[in-house]
Amino acid sequence: MKTPALVLTQGYYMTDNAKTAHGLVRGTDRFEIKALIDHQHATADAGELLDGRKRNIPILSQLEEALEIFPEVQYLIIGVATVGGVLPDEMLPIIEEALGKGISIVNGLHDYLNDREQLRKLAFEHGAELLDIRRPKKPTDLHFWTGEIFKVDVPIIAVMGMDCALGKRTTCRMIMEAGQKAGINIQMIYTGQTGWLQGGKYGFILDSTLNDFVSGELEHAILSCWKESNPDIILIEGQSALRNPSGPCGLEFLISGMAKQVILVHAPKRKYYEDEVHWGEIPTLASEKEILEKFDSNLIGLALNTHDCTESEARNFQQQYKEELEIPVLLPIIEGVEDILPTLKQLIAR
């Protein structure tokens, strides 16, 4: 059974910083999300506010109100992923209130709650836990790359982005779910804290892993998935982007993870990395495709983040990229991701 939980966003829900909450609203196999706590966005349904799809998860103004409605709740999940992983100051009083009521805190930030003496004391006094899921593992608990991945005989596909916060994890999960619904055994390797929160079985938290062991942890997750789940296809959730200067990432998936196929996620109206002009312009899709091919990986699909697009604009971009790239172009939020399934079936049949 899923564990009843609340998600704390406290004013951040309609920002990119709340992508952890967005993922949990869209679906999790680990927790049963009862409500969100956000004083600025209180509304009847978090799903409708997020993407127009009702999910029966209310946004409430106060923790006390939520616990009166859902007394069975055992956990409060911090639903933001801020720059640098820092805990927003305005969340601290609500965390303290929750601990005082015996509610455990699940924290996916780099700002570890167990490092705060007052919170440790509150948790101990009221029988609650502080779960810092992004705290690095000990080197003795990590794996080094072995080369055994060369034995994997199923397609490995990396879902990568042209920038951060575009919907890589969401696209990855949607493709997995659509494939499974169609009878394809697609499994997903999570690489971030939200993937774990959503109940991912195979994966690791990349940005909390010692650099020497990133390739090995990736390989270990893929091998475990391959040996235990007998998948038809393995998807890897991407992080950041190949050329985002604040955190370039992706070659590990192509080289160490042997991802010979790539689905890119792109926002047609985003011109600069993370909308920061001085960070530089996001390069063209054609140049990204060329880089992938130089590393012996093929671009097999494109998913569009249609932020700031009208539906008409989104469909025009879809048609434009279909003609330019000659691959399936998905509108995940508008249409779903089923158009990629024929391509995946062809990979399996090879």
Side-chain angles (χ1 to χ4, degrees):
M1 293 180 63
K2 297 182 184 181
T3 304
L6 302 172
V7 177
L8 177 63
T9 54
Q10 196 62 358
Y12 288 84
Y13 185 59
M14 294 309 293
T15 72
D16 288 341
N17 285 324
K19 61 183 182 179
T20 295
H22 299 164
L24 292 170
V25 167
R26 288 188 168 115
T28 167
D29 300 316
R30 192 178 300 277
F31 296 98
E32 182 182 2
I33 306 302
K34 294 293 188 178
L36 270 62
I37 310 299
D38 192 314
H39 67 294
Q40 289 187 13
H41 297 102
T43 185
D45 192 87
E48 285 186 329
L49 187 58
L50 177 62
D51 57 20
R53 301 181 185 183
K54 189 169 184 178
R55 293 178 174 88
N56 297 315
I57 301 174
I59 303 179
L60 304 173
S61 297
Q62 299 180 359
L63 176 67
E64 184 176 4
E65 178 187 8
L67 294 177
E68 287 177 358
I69 301 171
F70 305 107
E72 70 274 26
V73 160
Q74 302 173 35
Y75 290 93
L76 176 67
I77 303 169
I78 297 174
V80 296
T82 58
V83 174
V86 178
L87 178 71
D89 290 339
E90 57 268 34
M91 291 189 173
L92 189 57
I94 301 170
I95 291 169
E96 292 175 339
E97 180 186 358
L99 290 172
K101 297 178 183 296
I103 303 298
S104 296
I105 310 298
V106 183
N107 172 37
L109 298 170
H110 289 303
D111 195 345
Y112 309 128
L113 301 186
N114 278 287
D115 289 348
R116 300 182 184 229
E117 183 178 354
Q118 175 61 19
L119 296 185
R120 290 201 313 272
K121 182 180 178 182
L122 270 174
F124 177 78
E125 289 175 349
H126 297 279
E129 293 181 277
L130 297 174
L131 302 175
D132 291 315
I133 64 172
R134 216 163 169 184
R135 185 180 286 277
K137 294 179 180 179
K138 298 177 182 177
T140 52
D141 295 328
L142 296 170
H143 301 83
F144 200 75
W145 195 84
T146 67
E148 191 181 353
I149 195 168
F150 292 127
K151 298 177 183 177
V152 175
D153 58 359
V154 301
I156 300 173
I157 303 171
V159 179
M160 299 168 61
M162 295 293 289
D163 194 16
C164 296
L166 292 181
K168 296 182 288 289
R169 185 200 64 254
T170 296
T171 300
C172 201
R173 186 176 171 92
M174 289 178 71
I175 292 171
M176 178 184 69
E177 292 173 343
Q180 290 175 350
K181 187 176 180 181
I184 307 171
N185 182 7
I186 301 181
Q187 298 293 326
M188 171 179 162
I189 306 300
Y190 71 83
T191 56
Q193 70 275 12
T194 306
W196 182 89
L197 288 167
Q198 288 183 308
K201 185 176 180 181
Y202 302 104
F204 69 111
I205 300 176
L206 189 149
D207 66 8
S208 292
T209 302
L210 285 170
N211 189 59
D212 275 359
F213 297 97
V214 167
S215 294
E217 286 295 287
L218 176 62
E219 180 191 50
H220 176 71
I222 292 170
L223 288 171
S224 299
C225 177
W226 176 58
K227 293 174 181 178
E228 296 172 12
S229 297
N230 191 30
D232 297 314
I233 284 176
I234 295 174
L235 299 176
I236 303 174
E237 173 202 2
Q239 293 294 325
S240 188
L242 277 178
R243 292 181 275 179
N244 182 318
S246 73
C249 181
L251 292 184
E252 304 93 331
F253 309 130
L254 307 183
I255 300 172
S256 306
M258 295 296 292
K260 296 303 180 185
Q261 321 294 334
V262 173
I263 296 170
L264 276 179
V265 185
H266 175 56
K269 287 202 168 183
R270 188 184 297 187
K271 186 174 182 180
Y272 302 100
Y273 285 116
E274 300 189 50
D275 293 318
E276 296 283 350
V277 175
H278 64 291
W279 286 14
E281 290 191 18
I282 295 171
T284 65
L285 286 166
S287 70
E288 198 86 347
K289 182 175 182 286
E290 183 180 1
I291 290 175
L292 296 175
E293 290 172 347
K294 288 184 182 297
F295 283 92
D296 199 27
S297 296
N298 299 310
L299 181 62
I300 63 167
L302 179 70
L304 298 184
N305 176 317
T306 54
H307 181 68
D308 281 341
C309 295
T310 65
E311 184 167 335
S312 175
E313 287 174 326
R315 295 191 184 281
N316 286 339
F317 280 124
Q318 181 185 42
Q319 187 59 38
Q320 172 190 333
Y321 293 132
K322 277 184 180 179
E323 294 173 0
E324 288 180 9
L325 300 171
E326 298 181 333
I327 56 175
V329 179
L330 313 175
L331 302 176
I333 301 303
I334 297 174
E335 294 182 343
V337 296
E338 283 74 14
D339 283 354
I340 197 67
L341 296 184
T343 300
L344 302 187
K345 290 177 181 177
Q346 288 174 8
L347 288 175
I348 296 168
R350 288 181 183 175

